Amino acid sequence: MRAAALLITVYFAGAYSQQVCDHPPRAWCSSWEIAKACKVEQQCIEYFSHQNPKNSNEPAVQVELYYESLCGACRNFIVLQLFPTWLMLREIMNVTLVPYGNAQERNVSGKWEFTCQHGPSECYVNTIEACVIYHLKDLQNYFPIIFCIEQSYNLTNVLEPCLAAFEPDLSVKTVMDCVNGDLGNKIMHDNAIKTDSLNPPHEYVPWVVINGKHNDSLQDTAMGALFNLVCDMYTGMKPQACQKAVVTPLKKDSVCFH
């Protein structure tokens, strides 16, 4: 009943977008591009979250992403590959997000100072996303916010509308107190340790680790067809979504080098 009600919500939400949505209602949640065109992103997120309960009987595919917030390649991977794949396959995959990337840190009088590849704004957004992850803890709650930030035009000023859309119970003040305080500094230091401990060491971002492993083959496949990779690597009964191959190729050289 809950899923049916959500589909009805999707239908009526899309009905107001017919001038840009030329897809039939049954297809509105079939891909993230169509959901965006029909302006039913939030409704599709809710629909899939109820359609695809976690299957705890089989080990989920573990996908770790080490990234930096203003790297164009990282943003493309999150928006075009990782988030849509998780949206449709969340019952067979776990995602870990580590915002830090090619940053560097140094200890100055007992406090960590960070230098980021794309400047201070990137350090700022990295910390915003890290604090959102820390406070919400559950991927289902924070991933839509990370996606909302990463697909936005101005990442530094989009926290408030993204929280309002996806997690209104988390206040901007709570996040910003973390960003500007000792907690955010500690979280980013922890992310630095995680990133610097990668084996093999990361050479660029986005750096994708699948089931604890990174190699060129896994990286290239993840960048070009993550959905198919997760379906192929899952050892349990494949969900219905896996019956349809999904490929959103990204350029092999579209990375931000360390």
Side-chain angles (χ1 to χ4, degrees):
M1 291 296 293
R2 173 61 173 166
L6 285 168
L7 275 179
I8 293 172
T9 303
V10 169
Y11 178 85
F12 283 106
Y16 291 100
S17 309
Q18 290 303 306
Q19 69 273 17
V20 294
C21 177
D22 56 358
H23 303 279
R26 66 179 181 275
W28 283 343
C29 292
S30 62
S31 76
W32 192 248
E33 289 79 7
I34 294 175
K36 288 180 66 176
C38 298
K39 302 186 185 303
V40 291
E41 301 100 306
Q42 176 63 23
Q43 290 82 6
C44 288
I45 289 173
E46 294 181 11
Y47 172 68
F48 276 111
S49 70
H50 287 273
Q51 283 291 95
N52 301 320
K54 277 283 184 185
N55 181 352
S56 59
N57 296 324
E58 298 291 341
V61 179
Q62 306 295 321
V63 180
E64 302 170 45
L65 174 64
Y66 296 82
Y67 73 102
E68 55 196 27
S69 59
L70 299 191
C71 168
C74 298
R75 297 178 65 186
N76 285 339
F77 181 73
I78 291 171
V79 172
L80 298 178
Q81 290 280 354
L82 186 57
F83 184 77
T85 296
W86 171 78
L87 191 63
M88 291 185 284
L89 299 179
R90 56 180 293 275
E91 77 273 26
I92 65 169
M93 67 183 294
N94 289 328
V95 175
T96 300
L97 301 175
V98 184
Y100 183 78
N102 296 328
Q104 297 180 349
E105 67 171 359
R106 61 174 185 155
N107 193 310
V108 179
S109 301
K111 185 173 182 178
W112 295 100
E113 291 187 356
F114 302 96
T115 303
C116 294
Q117 186 168 21
H118 299 91
S121 292
E122 182 165 76
C123 289
Y124 176 67
V125 179
N126 284 350
T127 311
I128 286 177
E129 295 188 359
C131 287
V132 167
I133 292 170
Y134 173 84
H135 279 293
L136 292 178
K137 294 179 174 50
D138 189 333
L139 180 70
Q140 183 171 323
N141 294 332
Y142 67 71
F143 201 1
I145 299 172
I146 303 303
F147 168 81
C148 180
I149 294 172
E150 290 295 326
Q151 62 88 40
S152 300
Y153 177 75
N154 187 342
L155 280 69
T156 60
N157 293 322
V158 77
L159 175 63
E160 184 172 3
C162 287
L163 287 179
F166 293 106
E167 199 65 36
D169 290 339
L170 178 61
S171 70
V172 173
K173 182 181 184 303
T174 297
V175 176
M176 294 312 299
D177 284 347
C178 171
V179 170
N180 296 318
D182 292 340
L183 178 57
N185 194 256
K186 179 184 181 303
I187 294 170
M188 290 310 301
H189 174 57
D190 291 343
N191 284 356
I193 293 174
K194 293 176 185 176
T195 304
D196 292 341
S197 299
L198 284 167
N199 185 18
H202 85 285
E203 302 172 7
Y204 50 80
V205 288
W207 188 262
V208 184
V209 178
I210 307 291
N211 287 342
K213 298 180 180 180
H214 173 93
N215 56 50
D216 289 344
S217 177
L218 285 173
Q219 176 79 24
D220 291 348
T221 305
M223 291 290 285
L226 178 66
F227 183 96
N228 298 346
L229 178 62
V230 172
C231 285
D232 290 344
M233 295 193 70
Y234 182 61
T235 57
M237 182 178 293
K238 312 291 186 186
Q240 185 175 0
C242 285
Q243 297 177 11
K244 182 178 180 181
V246 176
V247 179
T248 307
L250 300 176
K251 292 182 180 179
K252 186 176 180 180
D253 60 352
S254 294
V255 296
C256 294
F257 282 97
H258 187 31

